[in-house]
Amino acid sequence: MTKIALIFSYDTSIKTWKKNGSFFREITPYIKMTKNKKISYRFYTYDSHKKNYIKFNNHKIEIFPIYEKFPFYKNKFLRFILSFIYPFFVK
């Protein structure tokens, strides 16, 4: 099985996708690829929730909320700089 990691952009989360209406548009290509091949996905998001996966049309996508493992800082500049560093410390 092929494992693919998707690292979200700075301060982007599943909640952001749902709020601005782009959730279904963004997730559809991954669901289509999963149907044809044995691929599993792990989304690294800037969420703070504890949800470990999302289920969409009987497909499960693993979620890793960055702020579950790393602290959330109020300083936007610091969060921006750390967004380049965090991916190197997650597995």
Side-chain angles (χ1 to χ4, degrees), residues 10-11 67 72-84 86:
Y10 162 72
D11 266 0
Y67 294 135
F72 176 83
Y73 296 99
K74 290 184 180 182
N75 184 316
K76 286 185 178 186
F77 180 73
L78 181 58
R79 284 197 324 259
F80 178 73
I81 297 300
L82 290 173
S83 73
F84 292 101
Y86 287 153

Side-chain angles (χ1 to χ4, degrees), residues 10-57:
Y10 162 72
D11 266 0
T12 304
S13 65
I14 297 290
K15 185 178 179 180
T16 307
W17 276 3
K18 287 181 179 179
K19 189 176 180 180
N20 68 21
S22 63
F23 177 76
F24 295 109
R25 183 189 71 219
E26 295 289 346
I27 207 162
T28 301
Y30 301 105
I31 299 301
K32 286 182 180 179
M33 285 189 279
T34 303
K35 287 181 183 178
N36 300 328
K37 298 176 181 157
K38 293 184 179 187
I39 300 174
S40 68
Y41 295 100
R42 187 174 216 192
F43 287 2
Y44 292 91
T45 71
Y46 288 92
D47 286 317
S48 58
H49 62 76
K50 306 280 186 208
K51 196 168 185 181
N52 296 328
Y53 66 90
I54 54 173
K55 212 167 185 186
F56 184 75
N57 291 344

